[in-house]
Every structure is written in C-alpha cells, then in structure tokens.
C-alpha cells in the first residue's frame, strides 16, 4: 500500500478494482442497432424510428429533416401512403400499431405551415432528364438535385403529381398540400416542363445533352373489356373519370345509377367520387368474395359508410336495355370462384371500368436495348434499363404500384444515377438484422391504444370533396410518437446501466449511450435481458 | 402518490430506471451518471447476483440523500464475504464488519458513538442477508427495534444461507430444495411451517417505518429508501434479491425472477408506519406462481411427473393469501 491507512481501517478504498472479474466471462454483452420492422416495410426506406424519436422530444424540424432525407413528400405520404410500416409495427402485437402516418402527416403539415426548406449540394454540371412528374419522377428529381445535378422534369400533363393528382381524389389528398410539396422541389432548383410529351427518349437525350435519364411515366392507360352491348349503358373507365374530375373541377355526369367494375383502391376512388358528385346509387361489382377484394379494408369500410353498395360474386356479361347482365358466381371454401351459369340484371345508367392500368411505352420505340415484358420495362438491380444511362421506376417497372413504392424507386435510382454520372458504383450498406418482437422486453412499455385521426362528418363525405381525415394536434401527435418502442435502437432508458450487479457499464451522457467495462463485466446477461428495445445481444467470447 | 409516480406516460413511463424524455431529477439515482457506486466493480459475487445489485441500489440512494455521510455496518454473509476478501474491498463507504449475529447491536453502538462525538448528521445503516436478519441476528434486531435506535436496517433476502452452501433459513419458502431440505419423502423440499415474515414482526414493534422492496423496481426501492431516510428511529427495509446459485436459475434471469415474484403475489410490496400498513405497490400483470417457480431448479420437483399437486397448490394459496391480504390486484 502506498500510504499508511488510518487506525482500524484495514482495506483501502477502491482496492477491489485490482480484481478484473472480466476474466470470468464466456459471453459478452454488446450494443447494436437492429433494423425496426417499420423501416423494413417502408417502400421509401424511411428511418421511421429515428423521426418518431425526434418527435417525442418535440424536435419536429429535425424529425422532418430525417423524413425528407428519404422522402420528399411527407405531407402527401401522411395522407395517401397505405402505411405498410404499421402492418410491421411491433406495437401491433401488444395492442395496436403506432399511427405512423398520422405523425408523418403532422410533421409534413408543420413543414408546410412553417415553410421549411431543404438545400442542394454544389452543382456537378451533370444534366439528368426525368420523364414523368409523378411520385417516382419527383422523388428522383429531388434526390438528384440535392446531390448537385441539374434536373429537368418533363410531363405531358399540365400540372405535376401524376397519379397523385389524376388518380387520387382530393378528399384523400387536397391539391394545395401536393402543390406546396412540389413547389419545395421546384425551389430546390429542379426545372419542370409541363404539357410536353416525349416521343423519343433517345433523341431527346441526344438533342439536349442529357447525361442520364430516369423514366417514370406511370400507367395511365385504362384496361377495358369488349362486351356485347346495345349502347343503352354508358361505358367509361376510371382513368378518364378521375382525370375529368381533376381537369374540369367536377365529374362527368353519368346518370343516377352508376356501377363500378373492379374492387381495387381505384374502384373505391371512383365509387366514392361518384357519390360525392351527386350519384345516389353506386354499386361496386366484383367477381370474387369480399375477403379477396384487393382494395384496402379501410377504403372498403369508408365506401360502405358513404352508402356505396357492393355486389360480390358477379361478373359483367353484357349490356342490354339499360341493364347490366351479371353472371352469378359461386366460391369454394378457399375463395376460388366459378360461374353458376345463372344470370341476373342490374339497372344502371353507366359503368366505370376500374380493372387496372397499362403503361404507354411509346416513348421507348427508338431506345435500343430496352426490354418490355408484359407491358412493363425490365430493369437491373441498379434500376437501369437495357439502354446505358437510362433508368426507370414507378408503375412502369414491375412493382406494387403505390405512391410510396414509386418514391422509393426514385430515391434508389437517384443513388445509382449519381454513381453512374461519377463513373463509380454504388453499393447499398448492409442491412442490420431485424428487431423482431421476440427481441423486445415488452414489460417495460405501457399499454396505450392508437390515437384516431378526426374524421369528417358523414353528410359532408357524401356531398363534398372535403378531406375525410383530419390532423392530430401537436400534443396528440407527440404522445402518439411516444408509443414507438424504438425497436432495435437504444433510447437511453438506463436499464442496462442500472441492472448491472458489477457496475460494469458506464453511462456516457445524453445522446452518447453506454459503454461496457469489459475488465469487470462477468457476462451474466442481465443488461441484455432487461433491455426493453432489443439493442443488445450476448456474443460468445473469443478464446 | 409521489411526484415520481405521477409522471405522465412517456414511452416507458416510470417502468425503466431512467427515461430520456423525463427530467433526470425524477429518474432513479441509478440512472444518473454521478451515482455513488457505493459497491464498486471487482467484487466476487457470482454472475447475476441480486444481492450485489440490491446493495448498490439502496446504498447509492442513501449516499445521495445523506450527501455521502453514511456509516455501514454489515453482518456476516455473502455480501460481506464477496465484497471484502482481504486485502480488497469493493465499498466506497465507511464500512464495518463484526459478527454474524450482532450487526444491529454494532450499528446501535456506532450511532451512539457518533452522537457522543456530535456527528448526528451521519446516517447509520445496518445490513445483512436473510440468515443474519431472520435467524442469527434476530434477537439483536428486535432489541434495536424495541429501543427505537436511529438506524436503518436493510435485509437483502435471497431466501437461504447461500455463502455456506445453500442451507435453509427462516426465510426459505415452502417446497424449496436446499442442502438441508433435500428432495425426500412425500413432500420434498422445505416444509410449509408457519412462515416468518420479519417485515410483519418489525411492524409489530411499531417502529417508524417498515417496507418491502425489490430490485425489479428500482424507482419504488429508491422511493422507500428516501421515505425511511426522512424519518428518525429504527427503520426496516426488506429487499428481495434472487440468487442464481442458490435458486438454480440463469444469471440473466435475476431481475425477471424478482419481477415475477412480485407479479405472482409471492413477494408483496408494501410499507407501514408505526405498525400500520400505509401503502402497497399493486401487481401490474398477474401471473400464476408456476411462471415464477419453473425458472428455478430448487422447485423443479413440483413439476415432475407424480409430484403431489398439493405442494404447488399450497404455494399458489400463499400467493393468493398475500394478494387478498394486501389487496395487491385491481383486475379480475
């Protein structure tokens, strides 16, 4: 001992630190970040856990910036995204998922309200052509511009948005929201050319000196049927019908009784728009059983609430004397249908086909190397078509055909295009392992149900195109964000630091997380077991 | 309800030791960077020792509230042995060990000496395991209570004499296998007996404060230490500390077991002042005792084929009696 201890004191303070109990260990605890299921499910690859975490702290601007790192359209997505993130949310296995879309919408609207902007990197001098101002094109243009490239977006329509404007009715997406978010991309320095149809991509690129192109023209040609008809029933299609509403400010009059053939989300959009345009009797016709209708459950429920009728197990056979002749189908236990051979009639003034859409691939006619299979364009893993420097995404490539998928394509393509322009190759970072429910210690979370968004009065939903769902207020949005369990990512609850019987964890301070003192850690594993969010694991000690 | 319990839900509310969304002042002392670490690294407790953890939790809170003016007297037992093998100590506090059975009396003496020296602002703690508290030092403890000496006595209850090889103590639960309650006869393991609840005996002395606490709920534990520290006279805190070695459980399950003991009703959390029950910490998610017992090898015989189901039912009846007596459960 270095000095003489006082009388009756036999052991020196701190002397046990000589005993490095870390040598007992056969397994060591380590901190890691796992990938939360919401992030895995997000087609736009948003780091949802991160922006919910920032929202919990009231750091809305930072939260919004985290979103727009991946997705330029939060206010739009908070409204129209079908939020697969919430299907993946681990909270779903406790009581109900976090209302991720409602918080995203709150943040998106905060940005609109406060006029938050993003900035672009210094110009690289490279020119990129984006064909189509829909979600895919806007996303690619935004990301490429932020990387410093000069981007021109060309669209055949008179306004931006693609299917967000000409497909999604304004009661789901008010146009001022869309306009503001597109304006932000314009303010970033992206050039837009409307009412311009590109007939030949290869020629345009050559003529205007583009270094690369991203094609996202969408799928705007309605699929139709050729049925025997005596012309007593007006026949139109969803694309035309919804397009007319957008262009003329009101729906084309189709009569008092209208049928919609098809049961996807577009069919719901048509039926609900018709209801709002004064058609009192709207019937959706679907050949299969209710459970197999491809539209999202909430869309079907909201349509029924608004008085839309649904005729399942019916196929259109012909039009005669102001009636639709319907063939009656039957389903087996698995929902597979076959015709019974019997028919019935449905009196109708008009029918709208909502049977899916096709891609207009005319613009590719002189592009050598591009392969079209089953009306969609083939791309490689780097989103490039068969023609050098020409990339494609959105509905014109094989995909789920949602707004968010297209935005994800735009982001991904932008990264590959950026690398292509620099003559480099881009390799996405390895994905972290999944933070599945079994990795969590859910004891530590309070049970609390999802907060519902306010919903418009039913009378107004039947007569106006006013937005159906409302915003959460700040306090509600923040508390909803607090339901996030931060799966797989440390949120500094101090449990590991607290439960270590050997005082073998150091708390590094707010935002800096923790560090394990391996000199003393005996490897009991209590820290890992009591970590609520699964951001620790036990790894075998190397001998 | 204390301020700490009344915090609005924020992700994990008060269920975790800390919470970055809360002011650090309302988090547990264990969550703070400047906690005293009264019991430091390098001690020789087994992996996953509940007692080492319970001692650091309790004494760190005492250190915070007394501004580090603390004197600890320790009875013989695991805690004494594993923290002070000559020539090392893991204690960052003035700490004294005498005999197995006399810690309460020594603490009384220390307190009297401090008083004589005019140092009454020093908090005196006496502590020991269930062996020294429930059995060997019980006479001295009762005397300390009866004289109402100004000492806070903390018992770390791991339900047997672990240090000497897991022999039965007065706190060993019925049916548990120990070295001295082997698996033999029609009712293997410890007998049902009459039970010996020192918290209840302490209450019968009418001392200022008695509480039970658990390492599975650090905020509740610290609140009880603070409550005890706000009073003078003899105070008693009983902390449940699972022992992986003696219970035959996995080291990683120590906190989990402490939690399940509370949630099953086998270890009720309550507090009393002057002998009168003043509060209970409710069960949050009620579970049958099986979930707690099955994780421990000392109870495996209860689940073997051919075991007398009366034994398991008897343990469940004990839990049910606690739940009814202390009104621990608000659900159906």
């Amino acid at each position: 001992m270095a000095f003489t201890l006082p009388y009756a004191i036999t052991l020196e303070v701190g002397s046990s630190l000589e005993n490095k109990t870390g040598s007992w260990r056969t397994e060591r605890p380590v901190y890691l970040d796992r990938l939360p299921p919401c992030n895995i499910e997000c087609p736009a690859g948003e780091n949802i856990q991160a922006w919910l975490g920032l929202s919990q702290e009231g750091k809305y601007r930072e939260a919004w910036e985290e979103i727009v790192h991946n997705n330029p359209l939060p206010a739009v997505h908070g409204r129209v995204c079908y939020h697969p993130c919430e299907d993946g949310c681990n909270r779903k296995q406790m009581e109900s998922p976090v209302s991720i879309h409602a918080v995203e919408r709150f943040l998106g609207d905060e940005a609109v309200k406060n006029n938050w902007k993003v900035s672009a990197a210094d110009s690289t001098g490279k020119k990129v052509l984006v064909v189509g101002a829909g979600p895919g094109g806007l996303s690619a243009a935004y990301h490429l511009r932020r990387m410093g490239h000069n981007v021109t977006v060309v669209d055949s329509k008179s306004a931006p948005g693609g299917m967000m404007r000409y497909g999604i009715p304004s009661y789901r997406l008010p146009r001022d929201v869309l306009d503001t978010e597109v304006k932000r991309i314009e303010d970033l320095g992206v050039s837009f050319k409307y009412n311009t149809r590109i007939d030949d991509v290869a020629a345009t690129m050559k003529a205007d000196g583009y270094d690369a192109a991203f094609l996202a023209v969408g799928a705007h040609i309605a699929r139709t049927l050729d049925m025997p008809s005596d012309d007593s029933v007006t026949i139109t299609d969803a694309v035309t019908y919804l397009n007319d509403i957008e262009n003329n400010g009101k729906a084309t009059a189709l009569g008092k009784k209208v049928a919609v053939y098809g049961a996807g989300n577009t069919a719901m959009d048509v039926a609900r728009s018709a209801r709002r345009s004064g058609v009192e009797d709207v019937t959706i016709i679907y050949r299969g059983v209710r459970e197999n209708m491809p539209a999202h459950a909430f869309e079907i429920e909201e349509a029924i609430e608004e008085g839309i009728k649904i005729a399942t197990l019916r196929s259109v056979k012909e039009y005669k004397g102001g009636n639709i002749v319907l063939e009656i189908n039957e389903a087996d236990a698995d929902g597979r249908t076959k015709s019974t051979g019997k028919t019935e009639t449905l009196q109708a003034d008009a029918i709208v086909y909502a049977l899916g859409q096709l891609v207009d691939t005319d613009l590719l006619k002189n592009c050598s190397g591009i392969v079209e299979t089953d009306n969609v364009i083939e791309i490689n893993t780097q989103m490039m078509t068969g023609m050098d420097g020409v990339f494609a995404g959105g509905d014109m490539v094989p995909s789920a055909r949602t707004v968010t998928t297209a935005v994800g394509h735009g982001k991904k393509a932008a990264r590959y295009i950026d690398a292509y322009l620099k003559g480099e190759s881009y390799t996405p970072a390895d994905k972290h392992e999944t933070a599945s429910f079994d990795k969590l210690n859910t004891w530590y979370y309070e049970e609390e149900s999802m907060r519902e968004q306010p919903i418009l009065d039913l009378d107004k939903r039947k007569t106006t195109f006013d937005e159906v769902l409302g915003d959460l207020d700040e306090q509600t949005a923040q508390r909803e964000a607090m339901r996030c369990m931060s799966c797989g990512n440390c949120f500094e609850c101090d449990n590991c630091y607290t439960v270590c019987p050997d005082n073998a964890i150091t708390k590094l301070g707010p935002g800096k997380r923790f560090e394990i003192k391996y000199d003393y850690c005996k490897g009991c594993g209590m820290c890992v077991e009591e970590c609520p969010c699964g951001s620790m694991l036990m790894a075998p000690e190397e001998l | 309800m204390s301020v700490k319990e009344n915090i609005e839900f924020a992700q994990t509310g008060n269920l975790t030791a800390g919470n970055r969304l809360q002011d650090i002042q309302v988090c547990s002392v264990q969550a703070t960077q400047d906690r005293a670490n009264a019991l430091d690294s390098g001690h020789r407790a087994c992996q996953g020792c509940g007692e080492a953890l319970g001692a650091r939790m309790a004494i760190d809170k005492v250190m915070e509230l007394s501004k580090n003016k603390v004197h600890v007297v320790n009875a013989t037992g695991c805690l004494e042995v594993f923290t002070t093998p000559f020539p090392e100590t893991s204690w960052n506090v003035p700490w004294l060990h005498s005999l197995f059975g006399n810690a309460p009396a020594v603490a009384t003496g220390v307190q009297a000496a401090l008083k004589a020296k005019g140092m009454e602002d020093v908090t005196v703690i006496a502590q020991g395991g269930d062996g020294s508290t429930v059995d060997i030092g019980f006479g001295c403890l009762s005397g300390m209570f009866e004289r109402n000496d100004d000492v806070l006595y903390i018992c770390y209850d791991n339900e047997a004499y672990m240090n000497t090889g897991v022999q039965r103590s007065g706190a060993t639960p019925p049916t548990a296998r120990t070295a001295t309650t082997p698996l033999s006869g029609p009712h293997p393991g410890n007998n049902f007996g009459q039970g010996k609840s020192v918290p209840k005996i302490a209450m019968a002395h009418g001392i200022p404060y008695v509480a039970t606490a658990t390492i599975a709920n650090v905020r509740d534990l610290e609140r009880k230490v603070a409550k005890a520290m706000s009073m003078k006279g003899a105070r008693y805190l009983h902390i449940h500390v699972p022992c992986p070695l003696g219970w035959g459980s996995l080291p990683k399950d120590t906190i989990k077991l402490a939690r399940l003991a509370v949630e099953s009703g086998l270890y009720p959390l309550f507090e009393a002042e002057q002998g009168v029950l003043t509060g209970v910490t409710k069960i949050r998610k009620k579970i049958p005792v099986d979930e707690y017992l099955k994780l421990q090898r000392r109870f495996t015989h209860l689940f073997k084929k051919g075991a007398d189901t009366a034994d398991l039912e008897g343990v469940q009846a004990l839990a049910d009696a606690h739940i009814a007596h202390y009104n621990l459960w608000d659900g159906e």
Side-chain angles (χ1 to χ4, degrees), chain A residues 192-212:
Chain A
F192 285 88
K193 271 194 216 167
Y194 300 118
N195 300 312
T196 308
R197 202 186 144 81
I198 298 221
D199 294 317
D200 185 335
V201 170
T204 308
M205 284 179 72
K206 204 170 173 193
D208 296 339
Y210 287 106
D211 300 297

Side-chain angles (χ1 to χ4, degrees), chain A residues 23 63 105 129 141 157 168 171 206 218 229 285 294 310 371 461:
Chain A
S23 62
R105 171 176 166 158
L129 170 69
K157 297 269 203 285
I168 298 174
Y171 62 84
K206 204 170 173 193
S229 171
I285 300 167
I310 297 178
V371 182
R461 279 167 56 190

Side-chain angles (χ1 to χ4, degrees), chain B residues 72-77 80 84 95-107 110 127 140:
Chain B
V72 178
V73 177
N74 212 127
T76 303
E80 169 260 323
T84 54
W95 182 92
L96 183 66
H97 168 242
S98 176
L99 300 174
F100 213 144
N102 68 352
V106 172
V110 168
Q127 60 182 10
C140 288

Side-chain angles (χ1 to χ4, degrees), chain A residues 421-441:
Chain A
L421 293 172
K422 291 175 180 160
E424 296 166 356
S425 69
Y426 167 73
T427 319
D430 285 341
K431 287 216 189 312
H432 292 171
E433 64 171 273
T434 306
S436 48
F437 190 72
D438 60 293
K439 303 283 192 303
L440 309 178
N441 186 338

Side-chain angles (χ1 to χ4, degrees), chain B residues 14 31 38 53 87 206 209-210 220 236 259 278 289-290 298 307 318 328:
Chain B
N14 290 335
L53 179 57
Y209 188 68
V210 175
D220 184 71
Y236 181 75
R259 180 162 62 233
T278 55
V289 293
D290 313 29
R298 62 177 175 158
L318 266 178
L328 295 171

Side-chain angles (χ1 to χ4, degrees), chain B residues 196-204 210-212 236 238 267 270 272 326:
Chain B
K196 185 175 182 182
S197 166
V198 174
K200 277 168 122 177
I201 297 169
M203 281 168 70
V210 175
T212 60
Y236 181 75
H238 193 98
Y267 186 76
F270 61 89
Y326 294 102

Side-chain angles (χ1 to χ4, degrees), chain A residues 208-272:
Chain A
D208 296 339
Y210 287 106
D211 300 297
F214 179 67
L215 313 179
V217 299
H220 289 262
I221 303 172
R223 229 182 255 277
T224 55
L225 294 171
D226 196 13
M227 290 285 169
S229 171
D230 62 0
D231 293 337
S232 61
V233 175
T234 308
I235 299 170
T236 185
D237 64 77
V239 175
T240 309
Y241 187 72
L242 294 171
N243 218 337
D244 285 350
I245 296 178
E246 186 60 29
N247 285 333
N248 309 330
K250 64 178 182 11
T252 311
L254 293 174
K256 282 187 183 143
K257 294 188 76 167
V258 173
V260 180
Y261 196 25
N265 292 314
T266 307
M268 301 301 142
D269 289 341
V270 168
R272 297 176 69 185

Side-chain angles (χ1 to χ4, degrees), chain B residues 279-295:
Chain B
V280 297
T281 304
K282 298 274 183 181
I283 288 174
R284 190 165 158 247
K285 292 178 181 175
K286 197 171 151 215
I287 54 150
V289 293
D290 313 29
E291 280 186 42
Y292 168 66
L293 302 174
K294 274 184 176 164
L295 296 174

